Amino acid sequence: MTVTFIIAVALSTVLMLIFIGLALAVAYYRWRTAELMAGISIYIRKNWMMEQQIGELKKQINHIINKDV
């Protein structure tokens, strides 16, 4: 009876440590993914702004070219 109890406690301890480890891993990867997505959002926003500036510069260049012709 005592050996069974010791094995059960040891097994439940190991399972609880595994569950806690998995929960910490999920929390870490969720935090890391959120951090990376924030960086990607900033990159996309800057890229969009640069595309807008390029479009404006193209319009200005076309306006200058058409004005001279």
Side-chain angles (χ1 to χ4, degrees):
M1 187 75 163
T2 307
V3 175
T4 307
F5 179 73
I6 292 172
I7 291 173
V9 169
L11 211 60
S12 64
T13 303
V14 168
L15 286 174
M16 285 303 291
L17 289 175
I18 289 172
F19 287 142
I20 291 170
L22 288 174
L24 290 175
V26 167
Y28 170 76
Y29 284 115
R30 182 180 172 118
W31 169 75
R32 186 72 177 129
T33 301
E35 184 178 298
L36 290 173
M37 292 303 288
I40 289 172
S41 297
I42 292 169
Y43 172 77
I44 290 171
R45 199 171 306 120
K46 285 183 181 179
N47 189 22
W48 180 77
M49 289 170 47
M50 288 173 62
E51 285 180 6
Q52 296 296 319
Q53 290 176 348
I54 289 170
E56 289 297 320
L57 290 173
K58 283 182 180 179
K59 286 180 186 176
Q60 290 176 2
I61 290 170
N62 286 335
H63 180 68
I64 292 170
I65 289 173
N66 291 334
K67 192 178 197 181
D68 290 340
V69 172

